[in-house]
Amino acid sequence: MTYPAGPPTGAPAVCVRHPDRPTGLACTRCARPACPECLREASVGYQCVDCVRQGQREVRRATTVAGAVLGARPLVVPALVVLNLLAFAATAVQAGSIGANTRSALFVDWALSPGTVAAGEWWRLVTSGFLHIGPLHLAFNMFALWIIGRDMEMLVGRGRFLAVYLLGMLGGAAAVMVLYGPGEYVAGASGAVFGLMGGLVVALLRLRRPLNQVLGLLAVNLALGFFVPGISWQAHLGGLLAGAAATAVLVYAPPARRAPVQGGGLAAIAVVLLVVVAAGAVLAGA
């Protein structure tokens, strides 16, 4: 060890953390006297434990292009899967059938139709996104949410991921509001899942990663909505566009102004979607 403050003169210095311990040693960072127990080896000399802790706090953790901390475990995706499973279980129990769960009172009260929203039942914009028509519908959406969602959550962070998911859900509902008839019903997490697909495409573009597989999967799933009866291409398309827009705001926000740009951009998208929903409600109630 060295004596950065020079050799001691007069009365010996005492450790700043242990006043009863005389010492001729000092921290190379703050130059305060410290006993051997309170010093830690550094790249140059020795630092006291207080300076070591301060240095650890000042080290910035690595982040993604969206500002998320690298290595954070996904928590929102498992929570969303559980909520969807619980909602399906509730409708199946009420209906007394797994395959005919749409007969349950909960399904009737939560499914989305422009006419009911126009009548003031706005909660259906959200609740319909947690309903599914039969186990296959549920399995497909939950599988897609699990596979795509975990990567997206780690890329953009938990709070931002939830915002993309909900905006995708709202985008799907907005498209249904303007493109469905007043008495037509729709349900499912497909709008939100397609929002994640659109977000994944934007994220891969930002990261300059290959898009072939993702675009192929997206094209097939979009096509199914146009050619297979009972699948809402309107909700898929609305969710896709909303999720892509939301993710673009997140991954292209300048790092120096990331928080205000991301918050303002997501809020603006939400406002636009709510205006579309309101317009759909006016049309449905006309």
Side-chain angles (χ1 to χ4, degrees):
M1 297 185 184
T2 60
Y3 298 82
T9 59
V14 296
C15 175
V16 293
R17 294 172 60 86
H18 301 100
D20 59 328
R21 299 181 185 179
T23 181
L25 307 174
C27 172
T28 55
R29 183 172 181 177
C30 67
R32 296 184 303 169
C35 66
E37 183 181 337
C38 295
L39 290 172
R40 300 290 183 268
E41 187 172 3
S43 57
V44 178
Y46 291 80
Q47 293 183 8
C48 65
V49 290
D50 295 325
C51 286
V52 170
R53 292 196 190 99
Q54 181 64 30
Q56 290 173 342
R57 285 194 295 266
E58 291 174 355
V59 174
R60 296 183 61 182
R61 299 183 66 181
T63 58
T64 67
V65 293
V69 175
L70 286 174
R73 291 179 55 192
L75 294 179
V76 178
V77 169
L80 289 171
V81 170
V82 169
L83 289 175
N84 278 276
L85 291 175
L86 289 175
F88 181 80
T91 59
V93 169
Q94 279 191 351
S97 170
I98 294 178
N101 65 305
T102 58
R103 296 184 304 203
S104 72
L106 185 64
F107 197 99
V108 173
D109 291 339
W110 280 12
L112 175 64
S113 71
T116 56
V117 173
E121 299 180 6
W122 292 84
W123 65 83
R124 294 175 182 265
L125 298 170
V126 176
T127 57
S128 61
F130 292 91
L131 298 177
H132 289 87
I133 304 170
L136 290 179
H137 188 207
L138 173 70
F140 176 82
N141 279 338
M142 293 304 98
F143 178 75
L145 171 58
W146 185 258
I147 297 300
I148 301 172
R150 290 178 301 169
D151 290 339
M152 283 292 293
E153 183 175 344
M154 287 189 290
L155 176 66
V156 302
R158 294 166 185 163
R160 299 178 187 90
F161 171 81
L162 183 59
V164 173
Y165 186 88
L166 293 177
L167 286 174
M169 181 186 296
L170 184 59
V176 168
M177 288 296 298
V178 296
L179 297 175
Y180 266 48
E184 294 181 287
Y185 282 80
V186 67
S190 300
V193 169
F194 267 80
L196 298 181
M197 290 185 183
L200 181 60
V201 171
V202 172
L204 291 175
L205 283 172
R206 174 67 176 83
L207 296 171
R208 299 181 181 180
R209 300 289 179 83
L211 292 172
N212 294 344
Q213 292 184 347
V214 175
L215 290 178
L217 178 65
L218 183 58
V220 169
N221 283 279
L222 278 175
L224 289 176
F226 289 97
F227 298 108
V228 178
I231 297 179
S232 176
W233 64 264
Q234 296 91 334
H236 291 179
L237 185 59
L240 175 72
L241 296 176
T247 305
V249 167
L250 298 179
V251 299
Y252 285 103
R257 301 180 59 248
R258 181 173 281 148
V261 170
Q262 289 180 342
L266 294 177
I269 293 171
V271 169
V272 170
L273 293 176
L274 289 174
V275 169
V276 175
V277 168
V282 171
L283 293 174

